[in-house]
Amino acid sequence: MINQGLWMPNMDHSLINPNQLRDFEVEVSDNPYDIKTKFGITHEGLFIPFLTRGATVFFEMFKPTKEQLEDPNNTVVMLTDQQREWDPQTVDMARHRTQSIKKVNVSIMAMEVAPDQQGEYTDSFDATLGNVSGNYVPSILSDRIIKSVVIDPNTKDEVRKINAARCTPRTTTVNGRRVGISETFSSTRHSKHTPERAAVILGCSLDKARKTLNGGTLTGTRYSNLLMSRRFPRSTIRFQSEVPKLDGRFYMDWVKSNTRSIHGDTGAFYIGDGRYIDCYPRNRHTSEDAAIALSSFCMDAGTPGQLKVDSAAEFTGKNTEFNKMTKKMGINVSYAEPDRHELNLIDNQIRENKKKWHDYKATRGVPARLWPYGIEHAAQVQQILAPADGTESAFQATIGTTPDLTELLDFAFYDPVWYWKGVHPSIGDDCKDIGRWLGISKKVGTGMCYYILTREGRVISESTVQHVTTEDMRSHDIQEKLKAFDKEVNEKLSDENYKIETKDGENTIEDPTHTLRHLAQIAKDQSNLTGTGDPPQVEADYQRNIDDNLNANDEDEFDQLDKLIGATVKLDKAHGTVYGKVTGRCRDDRGEGIGKANKNVLLDTREYDVELSDGTYEKFQANTIAENIFAQTDDEGRESLLLDEIYGHRRDGNAIPRSNGTNLDKYGVEKKKITTAGWHIKVKWTDGSTDELPLSVVKESNPIQLAEYAVAAGITDEPAFAWWVPHALRTRRRIINKARVIKKASKYWRTTSKFGIKLPHTVEEALQLDKENGNTFWRDALKKEMGNVAIAFRKHEDHTPQQVKNGEAKNLIGYTEIKCHIVFDVKLDFTRKARFVANGQMTEAPACMTYSSVVSRESVRLAFLIAAMNDLEISSTDVGNAYLNAPCREKVWYEAGLEWGLEDKGKVMVIERALYGLKSSGAAWRAMFSDFIINQLGFQSTMVDQDVYRRKSTYKDANGNTVPYYELLLVYVDDVLLVSKKPDDVMKKIGESFRLKDGWDKPVSYLGAETFQHRRSNGAVCWALGSGKYVKNLISEVKTMLEEDGSALKKGSGRKDSVGPLHPDYKPELDTSELLGARLHSRYQQIIGGLRWAVELGRVDINVDVAIMSQYLAAPREGHLEAVYDIVRYLSLKPDRRLLMLMNPKRIEQTEEIQNSFNLNADWREFYGEMKEEDPHGMPTPLGEAVKITTYVDANHANNVVTRRSHTGILIFVNSALIVQYSKKQNTVESATFGAEMVAMRTARDLTVALRIKLKMFGVPIDGPADFFCDNDSVVKNTSIPSSVLAKKHNSVNFHIIRESAAAGILRVTKIPTKENKSDALTKILPQYQRNNLLNDIMYYPSEIHDPEGMNLDQRKQPSA
């Protein structure tokens, strides 16, 4: 019996506060994750088990009847007292606690030591110190803990004596008492978690360290108020039933070592998926050892569903231990072909792992026999490092949880440390010893435990570990102690007698360059497949890997490989700014370069000679040069310059003359032409340099200075100036006042250089820069790019370019000459890059040659829903260099430039492949790939969406029955999405004919939308589509724009309606603020374009706001731009919301009341005869689960107070997944609400019919007519009651077509209250709470998505008004 609970007769559950039960001394365990206690209520021999649903804990109960209460055979147990009233406001829960903790804050510590207790400290605060950790006995607490807790002396004289005695190492005497004195020591016994410190420990760039810290947690540390701290990681121990399944394909390989480790290991098993990697050293590479390594990986990370291994003996054989293990764990194992060179996805990670181990040995003097600890620690670092694009780390992407970084960020590998020995150590100076840190001891102890190398050459696990600090190293005794330690360890761990013989060229842990030679062998094996003139595909595939492996020593030795030589730096001197050029490396007397190279340029200590513009030379380190360059450039590497003066101009033949400076508009009014063509402005910058820039560039960056120059030069009547100079001068005062605040307003971003490296504009200039800098960087970049595109050209050697132009080449008659050029760029690591571009604008290709369709957004959402409904897998891939696979549809040629080399310069190059830049290339690729899909893969187009293909297939269900279904293949240019039970079979065939960039796998994004997979409790999969990444990028871009204007996004006012995108009372059509200038007009269009794409990706909550503001793209005003900023501000508060492709069969529960609201007995035959829905031609037999369509439709009559146009809002669901959203101004003006609602209903009918046709062509069964929900009673009656009469004759077309659809069984209409009509949120700007009430069960925050099956979408709690 429960007294004083909350029983609600109208609800199906009651409430009881667990602390209320505890207050009545009832034992309650409501933590479902605590496996040590029984999950439920225990009282007086009675146990009531708890159950869970989602995140709710509950137990079954009922209200007893009077007979049950009076039945003497029933035992009654009182959980709460009926007599004592329990008031939650006054209850004192602390009375049950037997002890309290008192926080003591002291600054100086002195400790009285009893004369008869040498070495032990006793005083009144011992009890407090004893509470620091249960692992320590109070009588033998740490010396440093004692020194960090201070008891104030009794008198000022004692304080003075203690301060005067600070040099005393241990104790001093004050008034006859022996008092312990705190020594001076560094406060960095444990590492601070800063990006700078993380970059040093992890061996990465500062930017990557920041991203890594942002992508992980630091929850593993629990500090006391004292100096010592105890650190507790999350447990990595799992029961076998808790081991998760890992998606994707994993690889496993054995790598031998040249040196036997201190534990007798001869090599290591590496396991990974191309991003995540882990390693397991073993003393043999037998099948049993492989099984042990795989079992350890399963417990550490999870069980891979697919595992690929080579054909080595330890992996093959039917009855081997490895084979037994894989079968037991349900792992699907595939094998590489024997004696075939293949590059597995983990080879790159293995190479990086070995390189990190070599870095440890070379830079930290680690003995070779400690290699197991080195590679294990390197693998742990690889797992948690954030990738360059800032996305999920390998750990998070593979394991699915956020990594805790605390353990890895405390010490660097092989750091000298102090550790304390013993079970209950007295951690004073006499009991600590020096050691070397070898990584995390994951499976020892409950606290953070580390591997420590002792002076005896043994490795132990200890948790009481601290840094040997800089302060410690100032002591000569400690320096000598560390030297003696290293000498003793190196002698005991000498590898002289522990070498292992290996074959020449064998892949070993000690050989980090093996992967490069392996690539070369692959290239050699595949060289006969490329064909004459084919680009070096192996280089294109693996060039990035080779670039990553350039040995830093090569750059030390050869200036030709040094990417910094030739860079420009800017120095601020007392007499002004001075520019300098990096001319070469500084070398010592032996000719060796000074300093050491590092991939992280900010850690690069190489010294360089820099020639300054004043004729002097200075020496700078590489990291100083890099910091100088980065500080003066933006995110794209452009240098900003400030204008000093405009000193001249030049006009060319493209300038429009005064006589042709106007046009007549359609009313015959003379208007000035808007042009800047043909004019070049000569400018001088504040750094003393000069440039000649196009007029449009200077007008954008410095309009006032240019307008004043035009007046002084007497050229304001020139067409290039006449249309804008008068306006600029009129608004000069306002612009100048604004510029005083906007410090960046007059900056010009120089595009002639990037990161201090001069960018060439021609091939000739690029080669000249190489010559000046003494290297071949630009030449190498050019060679790589031309090798990639060579396949697209055919050299025509029979005629010269002039002969082709004159028509003398008969086989080239009808061909058009085009121009091609090279675009040069510099990457962030100073690597040079070249891109070949064709000028397709020079051809006049007809539309039939250039049109290329792409898959629609609705089809993509349907594909994810169909996959979830029918338990199908989804796989995606990206075709590399797609266009170059297709023949060129246009007849074009160009005259080869120096990019082809001196031998081929000036020759005729006929373009035979669909080169990027040509108008017809997209259409050519689509036609070619579509032909492959139909003729080679056996799919056929669904016709209704030409880029969705279907193929009938079968699979065996759990009962062994053959089940037919349709596979779907969706194509968006070169992005392919496959829905199938066996996607690997299709993807393999595609990979055999085309190069796939990164293989294939479950999609993480498609068409800009992030894709997430959520597994339901029954094992089925639900997909979610998100726009968080795109929205965050959009917000960042807008913030950057505002920062350049000296502004920022506004914050909400705190009112409930202020957190919405726009204020409900806002009417943009009444805005009379100033029209935007060209720059802000372009910004408005850019932001609106970004917002519209966010809506396309699923942000339904801003659909109507964006639709309304999109009506002003042609002539936006300042107020409109502020409104658009408000929409972006709203997104910044809620950047990540997702659409769930839920498969619940009905959007609204079909209760009897709702069923009866439809006119189910309507007989339309008297009016429209025997109507039947027409099936599309070529419709396949429907297969799989049937779907139900639900449509919400609404209109806001005369929404625009100026034009009185109404606004339509429509939401169409298939089952519970949102497929179509529509928010748009109506084309006509309706005199009454009925007309606006009828127009909206007609639009919804058309969209629904199109969706039904698409589903039928996809082979999806449809469950009955679509359910239409409308809140206008007249429209509902006219479209659901056959005998109703139309009162508005001008709506007759819409009236009859909707009724005919109802008669044909396509749709049925019923009324719904306005507050429940979800499409109302797409017709008008609503207060935010109303918007939430309508849309909250359509979009979800990531934190709300746990178990989609546990979500009750229709009864989900809504925010109150």
Side-chain angles (χ1 to χ4, degrees), residues 538-558:
V538 174
E539 181 183 0
D541 290 343
Y542 304 118
Q543 183 64 41
R544 177 176 59 84
N545 300 327
I546 296 174
D547 289 343
D548 288 346
N549 282 275
L550 283 175
N551 195 333
N553 293 330
D554 294 340
E555 294 189 12
D556 278 348
E557 187 172 353
F558 304 108

Side-chain angles (χ1 to χ4, degrees), residues 938-954:
F939 284 77
Q940 63 182 105
S941 175
T942 58
M943 301 304 293
V944 67
D945 191 331
Q946 297 183 28
D947 293 278
V948 178
Y949 303 83
R950 71 171 183 272
R951 183 177 74 175
K952 190 173 182 179
S953 185
T954 60

Side-chain angles (χ1 to χ4, degrees), residues 197-255:
R197 178 60 181 165
V200 174
I201 290 178
L202 302 179
C204 64
S205 67
L206 190 59
D207 180 62
K208 179 169 284 193
R210 290 194 185 96
K211 293 175 180 176
T212 300
L213 288 174
N214 291 335
T217 63
L218 297 169
T219 59
T221 307
R222 186 182 75 185
Y223 293 100
S224 69
N225 289 332
L226 310 176
L227 178 64
M228 283 293 274
S229 63
R230 291 289 292 157
R231 296 165 177 252
F232 297 89
R234 290 176 290 185
S235 176
T236 58
I237 300 175
R238 290 192 181 104
F239 295 101
Q240 189 163 341
S241 60
E242 299 174 328
V243 176
K245 280 283 188 181
L246 301 180
D247 295 329
R249 171 174 288 181
F250 283 74
Y251 301 82
M252 184 172 181
D253 199 5
W254 165 264
V255 181

Side-chain angles (χ1 to χ4, degrees), residues 1284-1328:
S1284 64
V1285 180
L1286 178 65
K1288 306 287 185 180
K1289 299 299 181 183
H1290 66 283
N1291 295 125
S1292 59
V1293 174
N1294 295 333
F1295 172 80
H1296 286 293
I1297 198 169
I1298 296 169
R1299 287 162 60 90
E1300 281 191 358
S1301 298
I1306 297 174
L1307 57 86
R1308 58 182 186 175
V1309 184
T1310 190
K1311 189 174 185 304
I1312 191 174
T1314 300
K1315 65 179 182 179
E1316 298 178 16
N1317 190 350
K1318 299 187 180 300
S1319 59
D1320 191 43
L1322 273 66
T1323 64
K1324 61 179 73 71
I1325 302 173
L1326 295 173
Q1328 187 59 27

Side-chain angles (χ1 to χ4, degrees), residues 1024-1049:
L1025 304 179
S1027 57
K1029 185 175 181 180
Y1030 175 82
V1031 169
K1032 290 173 184 177
N1033 288 337
L1034 173 62
I1035 295 167
S1036 177
E1037 288 292 328
V1038 174
K1039 286 183 176 179
T1040 301
M1041 295 175 184
L1042 290 171
E1043 286 174 3
E1044 292 181 357
D1045 292 346
S1047 183
L1049 286 176

